[in-house]
Amino acid sequence: MFTVGAGLNYIKMPYPVPLAGYQARAELAETQNDPLCARLLTVEGDGGSVAIVALDVLYVDSDLTDLLRTAVSAQTSIPPSSVMVCSTHTHSGPGLIFPNSNRYDSSIVDSIITAVSEAAGRAWSMRTACELSWASGDIVGVASIRNGVTGEAGPANQALRVAEFRSVDRNLAGVPRFVARAINFGCHATVLGPGNALVSRDWPGFMVDACEEQLRRAGVQRPFVIFLNGAAADVSTRYTRKAQTFEEAARLGRMSADQVFDVFASSGPSRTCHVCLKDESISIPRRQLPSEHCALAAISREEREARRLASCGGSPLALKEALDRAAAWRIVLNRIRHEHGRPRNPLVAHLCLLRLGDLAMVFVPGEAPAKLGDKIRATVAEGASVPEESVWVVGYSNGHLGYISPMRAGPDGYEQLMCDLAPEATEEILTAVARLSSKGMCVDQC
């Protein structure tokens, strides 16, 4: 038996506020379409306890992660190291929360910390005895590989993982009074484009709302749903969305919720109530930056290609990819100018492997591409002696390395250009995951 708590709070925005996620967005957000949330799940079981936080923001860096871990621990008996801090990666959330950027507003960070702290207090005060069931499958028609070598880009099935903690306390009809549902698959929250100037959770928010409504209709008094984004570096709705509107975000959100419902229909109970967490920090070297002349030439080249495509009626997607590459090169140029003469110190990646009953959840601090996510799942399945269907890959968690994209043959895509890590980063991450999965993470040992 698990003891589970769930808390939800809204993040208050000091409007007007710039939004994070798109270089091309110039307009400030004056209000919201839908509120940003701090969702928090606490789980106690045999061997330990853990808290999982999901925030509707672009990402959470290591500094804010540490602050949030401390805030959650102060409201619970869960140690800071056992608090997982994740983001849904909405591109319609606040900017100004990243200390290393040129602009920073501590009042927004304070609002996020307050929201998480209050959510943690609510979760801890309403803990309930629960049983865990889980299911796995694919989600279809929502995600697509947005960039790739010839033949790769296009709609793609994504691994879908669903778990539910259901309270032992039930009503007269036998329906659990409390259900906490966790959902995991990888896809950028970018139905809404740079033209949007309203705060929004994008399609994940609509999915979570639809799932909670499904549970209410089933008679659940206290439904709670948390979305944990996965290996989504090169996965978005680019080839599946019909428009970049709130109506389309709602359509894809509801479609996702329906498929979550269908997959969970074949769920089974967890065999154990173990909670076990292992973590490891590794140092990852950064890639060598090109010269400023090289970056300027690349920007000019991509902009010329974009103008050519626009003038000759070329493919809109090809035009967008050229513009994206130019945008990526501008970010590289900013790095070159900002770090001129400074040493390129390695980045620290904090990796966590959590066992919740039958589930093995890997928390990765950055944007992993879909194929790397597949490799991580396979590595954990082999090392921990668990079925691959029970392995979750949670990206955008416990810090942020940016894109974790390996070098590839042929011209670089957006993700490769944006990646600030040395080519060996992916192998070092996989090696660390293999070490974690072999450290007593088997069910019988945990």
Side-chain angles (χ1 to χ4, degrees):
M1 196 74 63
F2 293 92
T3 302
V4 179
L8 164 67
N9 206 1
Y10 297 117
I11 302 171
K12 297 178 181 178
M13 289 290 100
Y15 295 108
V17 62
L19 301 181
Y22 294 108
Q23 288 188 71
R25 180 191 278 132
E27 191 175 354
L28 299 179
E30 301 285 349
T31 186
Q32 65 187 28
N33 178 78
D34 49 286
L36 304 181
C37 298
R39 295 175 182 268
L40 187 141
L41 186 70
T42 65
V43 183
E44 300 167 88
D46 298 340
S49 59
V50 67
I52 302 175
V53 180
L55 296 168
D56 291 313
V57 297
L58 186 69
Y59 66 84
V60 182
D61 65 15
S62 58
D63 291 338
L64 182 52
T65 293
D66 290 342
L67 292 171
L68 293 173
R69 284 175 158 171
T70 300
V72 172
S73 186
Q75 297 291 331
T76 66
S77 65
I78 299 172
S81 60
S82 294
V83 178
M84 306 294 105
V85 179
C86 315
S87 66
T88 62
H89 201 53
T90 176
H91 283 46
S92 296
L96 305 184
I97 65 173
F98 316 115
N100 293 328
S101 66
N102 294 328
R103 299 180 299 167
Y104 178 73
D105 187 341
S106 61
S107 68
I108 302 177
V109 172
D110 290 343
S111 180
I112 292 172
I113 295 171
T114 298
V116 169
S117 179
E118 292 178 356
R122 291 170 188 166
W124 201 245
S125 67
M126 301 181 71
R127 288 171 290 162
T128 306
C130 292
E131 297 170 332
L132 171 63
S133 295
W134 63 278
S136 65
D138 289 331
I139 191 161
V140 181
V142 175
S144 60
I145 302 298
R146 64 183 186 184
N147 293 318
V149 296
T150 302
E152 283 186 340
N157 295 356
Q158 279 291 94
L160 171 63
R161 305 289 187 255
V162 189
E164 280 191 3
F165 291 96
R166 298 176 174 182
S167 66
V168 176
D169 181 25
R170 296 172 182 261
N171 63 22
L172 294 177
V175 177
R177 297 183 188 276
F178 166 69
V179 172
R181 176 185 291 176
I183 302 166
N184 169 240
F185 69 94
C187 184
H188 263 68
T190 52
V191 170
L192 304 172
N196 170 57
L198 295 176
V199 163
S200 175
R201 294 168 291 163
D202 210 293
W203 68 261
F206 291 101
M207 177 187 69
V208 165
D209 291 348
C211 285
E212 290 185 340
E213 182 57 30
Q214 288 173 351
L215 293 170
R216 287 191 191 93
R217 289 199 302 266
V220 177
Q221 294 177 6
R222 292 173 52 214
F224 175 86
V225 178
I226 188 169
F227 172 61
L228 305 175
N229 210 334
D234 55 350
V235 185
S236 74
T237 60
R238 178 173 295 181
Y239 293 91
T240 57
R241 65 193 179 219
K242 299 177 181 179
Q244 291 196 276
T245 62
F246 290 105
E247 292 77 14
E248 181 64 4
R251 183 186 73 84
L252 288 175
R254 290 191 296 267
M255 179 189 294
S256 302
D258 289 343
Q259 294 188 57
V260 167
F261 181 85
D262 292 342
V263 166
F264 194 75
S266 60
S267 65
S270 175
R271 297 168 296 155
T272 79
C273 298
H274 291 294
V275 175
C276 184
L277 179 67
K278 304 291 182 181
D279 66 283
E280 180 175 338
S281 293
I282 60 173
S283 180
I284 300 181
R286 299 160 74 187
R287 67 169 51 173
Q288 185 174 351
L289 290 173
S291 67
E292 181 171 337
H293 174 77
C294 176
L296 288 169
I299 294 169
S300 178
R301 181 180 67 248
E302 298 298 345
E303 289 178 342
R304 284 197 308 272
E305 175 64 6
R307 289 193 296 271
R308 185 190 70 79
L309 289 167
S311 65
C312 70
S315 162
L317 287 172
L319 172 60
K320 177 170 175 49
E321 289 182 357
L323 292 172
D324 284 349
R325 288 191 297 271
W329 273 111
R330 281 192 287 273
I331 290 175
V332 172
L333 178 62
N334 288 337
R335 286 178 190 158
I336 295 168
R337 290 173 172 171
H338 178 70
E339 299 184 25
H340 179 70
R342 301 179 184 178
R344 302 219 81 213
N345 296 323
L347 299 176
V348 176
H350 186 60
L351 300 165
C352 296
L353 179 55
L354 170 66
R355 287 302 303 267
L356 288 182
D358 290 347
L359 305 179
M361 308 171 75
V362 187
F363 292 84
V364 180
E367 301 194 52
K371 288 184 177 179
L372 179 55
D374 293 340
K375 290 180 180 179
I376 291 174
R377 274 189 288 270
T379 298
V380 173
E382 180 180 0
S385 299
V386 298
E388 195 167 324
E389 292 75 18
S390 69
V391 181
W392 296 34
V393 176
V394 183
Y396 310 101
S397 56
N398 300 335
H400 192 65
L401 299 174
Y403 283 95
I404 309 170
S405 296
M407 303 295 286
R408 69 182 189 196
D412 281 339
Y414 177 81
E415 295 83 15
Q416 287 73 34
L417 292 171
M418 288 284 287
C419 179
D420 196 32
L421 307 178
E424 61 266 28
T426 53
E427 290 305 318
E428 292 189 10
I429 288 172
L430 286 170
T431 300
V433 168
R435 286 195 298 267
L436 286 173
S437 61
S438 65
K439 291 181 179 179
M441 295 304 291
C442 295
V443 169
D444 294 337
Q445 298 174 302
C446 197

